[in-house]
Amino acid sequence: MTGSPRFIVLLGPPGAGKGTQARLLGEILGLAHVSSGDLFREHIRARTDLGRLAQGYMDCGQLVPDEVTIAMIRNRLKQEDCRAGAILDGFPRTPAQAQALDQMLVDQCGCKVERVPYVKIPESTLVERLSGRWTCQQNGHVYHLRFNPPIVPGKCDLDGSALYQREDDREDTVRQRIRVYLEQTAPLVEHYRQRGVLVEIDGDGPIPEVSEALVRALQAA
Ligand code: AP5
């Protein structure tokens, strides 16, 4: 590993494209992609106690309690692939999680969150994006029926596994997730702006254009 570890937090509402962009950015920058939502879904698939607990909150569009979420991310960031840093997608989502992340980074590498790209997008687009999203069973690769379709319908281009629609992408649950985002996560925009690490990204363009804007913003950092 050369240079200081790089920890980048992607902020934005559900459906803004955080997962799509975090995967691409991780490959471009050589950083691990750490998604709290994907980690919870892995626990649900593995039928762990944490998975059972998380599912109750996720299915109704509520946040999983801070304590368990923070412990899960703390363990994930200790893994070898995060030594050079990580793109954090979906964490932190509350002020308590943001504070805990600061402490984790100090403990782990004496470092700070380097940059927080805030992916902005109109609310009307979010529902359209989430209702057309299909996700692969095996590795969570994300597609959209219209904007990013798989080559073979119903199959992941990358690992061939079947695609499914997330339970929490039903319109009423999506609207609840947006409400929860506005109440509990949106205040983090000001938190990171005041610390001088926030950069606003227009998320309403095609996927490659959003990626280019993100890479430019991170290179300028
Ligand atoms: P999580 O899985 O993190 O969901 P989310 O934040 O709601 O975000 P999404 O995954 O829905 O959207 P995204 O922004 O990643 O968009 P994507 O790239 O997929 O969390 C799920 C649940 O877990 C939460 O509700 C909560 O219960 C729990 N949870 C997770 N983290 C937690 C935490 N820290 N604390 C407590 N609880 C937590 O794109 C969406 C669609 O749009 C796709 O189909 C994609 O192909 C398409 N698309 C992407 N970009 C574009 C583009 N530029 N143009 C056109 N289409 C696009």
Side-chain angles (χ1 to χ4, degrees):
M1 186 184 89
T2 53
S4 317
R6 305 185 71 185
F7 287 92
I8 291 152
V9 169
L10 280 190
L11 262 190
K18 302 181 299 295
T20 301
Q21 296 298 338
R23 256 175 211 282
L24 296 170
L25 275 183
E27 282 165 20
I28 295 168
L29 303 177
L31 298 175
H33 170 203
V34 173
S35 156
S36 43
D38 285 353
L39 290 169
F40 285 132
R41 283 182 286 277
E42 278 169 28
H43 277 278
I44 291 171
R45 273 196 298 276
R47 298 171 192 271
T48 65
D49 289 345
L50 174 55
R52 269 186 287 279
L53 173 83
Q55 183 153 31
Y57 292 95
M58 291 168 80
D59 283 353
C60 59
Q62 295 292 342
L63 295 186
V64 180
D66 282 338
E67 208 178 277
V68 285
T69 305
I70 290 167
M72 177 180 77
I73 294 292
R74 187 181 288 118
N75 284 337
R76 178 66 187 89
L77 292 185
K78 283 184 185 152
Q79 289 173 17
E80 185 60 29
D81 65 332
C82 294
R83 280 189 61 187
I87 313 280
L88 288 151
D89 155 21
F91 182 93
R93 248 175 159 103
T94 63
Q97 292 181 16
Q99 214 180 349
L101 176 63
D102 287 347
Q103 191 58 50
M104 279 178 224
L105 298 187
V106 168
D107 294 346
Q108 189 160 320
C109 55
C111 59
K112 290 181 180 171
V113 171
E114 175 187 302
R115 209 73 174 148
V116 181
Y118 164 39
V119 184
K120 291 176 72 172
I121 190 151
E123 192 172 322
S124 54
T125 311
L126 299 176
V127 179
E128 187 187 16
R129 284 202 185 168
L130 293 177
S131 57
R133 168 165 63 185
W134 285 75
T135 305
C136 100
Q137 295 275 8
Q138 204 165 309
N139 292 300
H141 299 122
V142 170
Y143 297 87
H144 191 281
L145 282 186
R146 208 171 120 213
F147 305 128
N148 182 26
I151 297 165
V152 178
K155 268 198 172 179
C156 178
D157 295 351
L158 300 172
D159 58 35
S161 72
L163 303 181
Y164 75 102
Q165 274 196 297
R166 273 170 47 176
E167 193 57 37
D168 60 346
D169 280 348
R170 290 196 339 256
E171 189 170 335
D172 54 339
T173 314
V174 166
R175 296 208 183 275
Q176 173 62 15
R177 284 162 58 202
I178 294 170
R179 271 195 294 277
V180 167
Y181 166 81
L182 291 172
E183 280 165 20
Q184 302 194 48
T185 308
L188 295 185
V189 171
E190 281 317 307
H191 168 82
Y192 285 118
R193 197 194 305 280
Q194 279 171 17
R195 289 174 49 166
V197 291
L198 192 90
V199 54
E200 294 193 5
I201 301 290
D202 178 7
D204 201 15
I207 293 171
E209 277 181 24
V210 179
S211 298
E212 276 169 35
L214 279 163
V215 170
R216 269 199 308 276
L218 293 171
Q219 276 166 349

